[in-house]
Amino acid sequence: MDRLDWGPYVRGMKMKTARIHAFGDASVIRYDDVPRPRPAPGEVLVRVAATSFNPTEAALRAGLLQAFLPVDLPYTLGWDVAGTVAGIGPGTRGHAVGDRVVGRLEGAAAAEYVTAPGALLVLAPASVPLTHAAALPVAGLTAWQAVFEHGKVTAGQRVLVNGAGGGVGGFVTQLAKNAGAEVIATAGARSTAAVQKHGADHVIDYTALPVAAALDRPVDTLLNLVPLSPHDAAALASVVRPGGRIVSVTVPFEPPAETGVTATHMVARNDVAHLAALVELVDTGKVTLDISASHPLTALADVHRLSEAGRIRGKVVIVA
């Protein structure tokens, strides 16, 4: 018989969730009491320690992603999850009640409990608080795939990280530095110290000087993490050497064909092997988690507002 913690299934037990019933500004986020879920075959029930905020979720909440990432309403927010296995569905293998796990989901982690396919979860880092581990999946996977799969960053390369002060940027900077690259990072004044701590060799204050003007020679690879106008994207593309690479997680780049620059507009995918590798880097001290703030679930709407006002740095975790 599969092991179960029957406590979460007691009739009438409810849990708190942060959901949207309509698209709009942050005021559409509601804190609802709903029945605690029960894991289906192949799933586990996770007692959520924390999720984390990703700026893309604000775009989803506003209805801007329905064309290519449609969701049904009501929709429970939260793509990152870190928590403890509280129950195991029939036929599920590889997890035990009490395991500390972390994973990337398709929503529903902004709640006290969530069910998830066991195959999407890996053991959480043992060296950090479980709530902090929620910062890792979405941002870490995006960074890993930008640096290694698309950017193909290797030792000795000169890499520009545009937007190093954000949640993804912190991971990108560390991974590129770990790969042996010379890392040049753009960041505002409030993020400079954190970016330097992550290993950036040079930091450009983009608010004081155009990035192209601050560089003394071209870079091999540009990793772009911020939205840009077509004009600004073209200006930034000019700093990449002929035959170099551009990887952007926001807007597409179109470098002149004669430069031979390869440009990739990427969307990160879920990959548990990559996530497990990131967990190992955290536990060996090669990657640190930059948690700039921690808020309760009932403050999620305020976190969305802070993000849209440009007042968030690093990763923010939302404690269930």
Side-chain angles (χ1 to χ4, degrees):
M1 180 177 180
D2 294 292
R3 290 167 291 174
L4 295 170
D5 176 359
W6 290 104
Y9 309 135
V10 175
R11 185 179 300 276
M13 291 293 284
K14 300 283 188 177
M15 68 175 187
K16 295 287 186 183
T17 63
R19 303 199 296 179
I20 59 172
H21 295 255
F23 299 113
D25 63 23
S27 67
V28 302
I29 298 176
R30 288 170 38 179
Y31 305 102
D32 296 336
D33 290 326
V34 302
R36 293 184 184 179
R38 183 168 186 164
E43 292 185 335
V44 299
L45 177 72
V46 178
R47 173 64 176 97
V48 178
T51 184
S52 82
F53 172 75
N54 295 285
T56 310
E57 290 188 73
L60 181 148
R61 182 218 72 223
L64 302 178
L65 304 186
Q66 279 295 91
F68 60 94
L69 187 62
V71 299
D72 296 325
L73 300 177
Y75 174 81
T76 303
L77 298 163
W79 294 336
D80 293 305
V81 66
T84 304
V85 174
I88 300 177
T92 305
R93 298 292 180 263
H95 296 284
V97 171
D99 282 352
R100 290 163 33 108
V101 293
V102 64
R104 170 182 162 175
L105 308 181
E106 296 181 358
E112 292 178 307
Y113 287 86
V114 66
T115 53
L120 297 185
L121 302 174
V122 302
L123 291 178
S127 59
V128 299
L130 188 55
T131 53
H132 287 193
L136 189 59
V138 171
L141 287 170
T142 302
W144 181 282
Q145 292 161 22
V147 171
F148 297 121
E149 284 198 340
H150 303 292
K152 303 185 186 303
V153 173
T154 57
Q157 290 184 339
R158 184 171 158 89
V159 175
L160 173 62
V161 181
N162 189 43
V168 176
F171 290 118
V172 168
T173 300
Q174 293 180 79
L175 293 175
K177 188 62 181 175
N178 287 342
E182 177 190 0
V183 179
I184 305 156
T186 71
R190 68 175 180 172
S191 300
T192 296
V195 171
Q196 290 172 330
K197 185 177 180 181
H198 290 152
D201 297 287
H202 314 282
V203 180
I204 298 171
D205 183 350
Y206 66 92
T207 66
L209 187 68
V211 175
L215 292 171
D216 58 354
R217 64 185 191 280
V219 300
D220 298 297
T221 304
L222 163 64
L223 303 173
N224 178 62
L225 312 173
V226 298
L228 296 169
S229 68
H231 176 270
D232 289 341
L236 198 58
S238 70
V239 308
V240 181
R241 66 164 175 80
R245 295 180 183 275
I246 298 173
V247 179
S248 177
V249 303
T250 54
V251 298
F253 279 65
E254 297 182 2
E258 64 270 18
T259 66
V261 172
T262 300
T264 302
H265 181 210
M266 65 162 284
V267 176
R269 71 181 189 282
N270 207 347
D271 190 306
V272 292
H274 292 171
L275 183 56
L278 286 162
V279 167
E280 183 177 359
L281 289 175
V282 172
D283 276 339
T284 57
K286 295 178 180 178
V287 166
T288 60
L289 303 179
D290 182 14
I291 310 299
S292 62
S294 175
H295 297 280
L297 184 64
T298 51
L300 184 56
D302 291 331
V303 173
H304 277 235
R305 294 185 184 99
L306 288 171
S307 175
E308 291 171 318
R311 295 172 58 193
I312 282 182
R313 185 199 65 74
K315 288 293 294 181
V316 173
V317 295
I318 309 299
V319 179

